[in-house]
Amino acid sequence: MQQANNVSTLIKSLKVVCLGLIIALALSNVAWLYAYVREAGQNAQRVYVATDNGTTSAIAAGQVQPTQYEARNLVRSFMDLMFQHDASTFRERVNHGMKLIDHNDGRAIYETFKRGKVLENYHRYNSHTNWTCDSVTVDMSVEPYRGIVWGAQEVVYDNQIAVQPVAARFTLSRQLRSDINPYGLLIDGFNFIEYRRPAPDGSRPTK
């Protein structure tokens, strides 16, 4: 009799263990299915872009809404890269800046550098340039976004500083986010405009 009770107890214990294993397996399958669906959704948003630097992954345009901060920061970064350099950093910074702007617009800026012999003058006069951003405004109420940037480029050479005001209108189009351009925006329609920069004391310059 005692042996029969022991067998019955053992069978019940085995049933409990089997039931626990079945529940654990079911929960594991649910967790795996959730992870699979989530990963599949992320992969559906991710695309791969072929660039001059190779193939890079990116998040499809339209998946993430750009913010005002990102838009203004993109423009500040672009202007800093394109208008602040010296003989040793000119090519690297300009090439990086070109990734943030439409190819034709970027090429037009680069051609002005070539006509002005910027790199040659850096070497000849041991000079460099600094960029100061005065303001950036971006209207993101409609697409493409539109904005204006104001600032000044300082040309430093032979212990002298020449200040050149720089301002431009531009539009921003939503693009793929990637390691090359994490902002999800691309500058285009870039056109220089006149900018009468206030003097350091706050007064307006005379004509």
Side-chain angles (χ1 to χ4, degrees), residues 194-205:
E194 183 181 1
Y195 176 35
R196 295 178 59 77
R197 193 176 191 234
D201 60 3
S203 62
R204 301 296 298 183

Side-chain angles (χ1 to χ4, degrees), residues 14-29:
L14 290 174
K15 286 182 178 179
V16 171
V17 171
C18 289
L19 181 60
L21 290 174
I22 291 172
I23 293 174
L25 181 61
L27 292 175
S28 176
N29 286 339

Side-chain angles (χ1 to χ4, degrees), residues 17 24 36 47 50 52 63 80 84 89 115 120 130 163 180 186 191 193 199 203:
V17 171
Y36 174 81
V47 296
D52 294 338
Q63 298 296 338
D80 183 78
Q84 178 168 292
T89 62
R115 288 194 298 271
E120 290 88 337
N130 298 320
V163 180
I180 294 175
L186 187 73
N191 291 295
I193 59 175
S203 62

Side-chain angles (χ1 to χ4, degrees), residues 63-148:
Q63 298 296 338
V64 181
Q65 178 71 35
T67 65
Q68 272 280 347
Y69 172 81
E70 289 176 309
R72 293 194 300 268
N73 202 35
L74 164 69
V75 177
R76 289 192 183 99
S77 297
F78 169 76
M79 298 298 287
D80 183 78
L81 287 166
M82 296 297 282
F83 295 96
Q84 178 168 292
H85 25 61
D86 57 24
S88 63
T89 62
F90 176 78
R91 295 187 185 279
E92 179 183 359
R93 291 179 66 83
V94 169
N95 285 338
H96 192 179
M98 293 281 281
K99 296 179 175 67
L100 305 179
I101 189 170
D102 171 75
H103 175 77
N104 291 333
D105 289 337
R107 190 69 190 179
I109 297 174
Y110 180 70
E111 289 299 324
T112 65
F113 292 160
K114 288 182 63 177
R115 288 194 298 271
K117 298 183 178 180
V118 172
L119 184 57
E120 290 88 337
N121 289 333
Y122 281 158
H123 287 290
R124 181 178 302 168
Y125 301 110
N126 191 28
S127 60
H128 67 275
T129 52
N130 298 320
W131 167 256
T132 299
C133 182
D134 292 338
S135 182
V136 180
T137 63
V138 181
D139 178 7
M140 302 184 72
S141 60
V142 295
E143 294 190 44
Y145 310 135
R146 299 179 181 277
I148 305 176

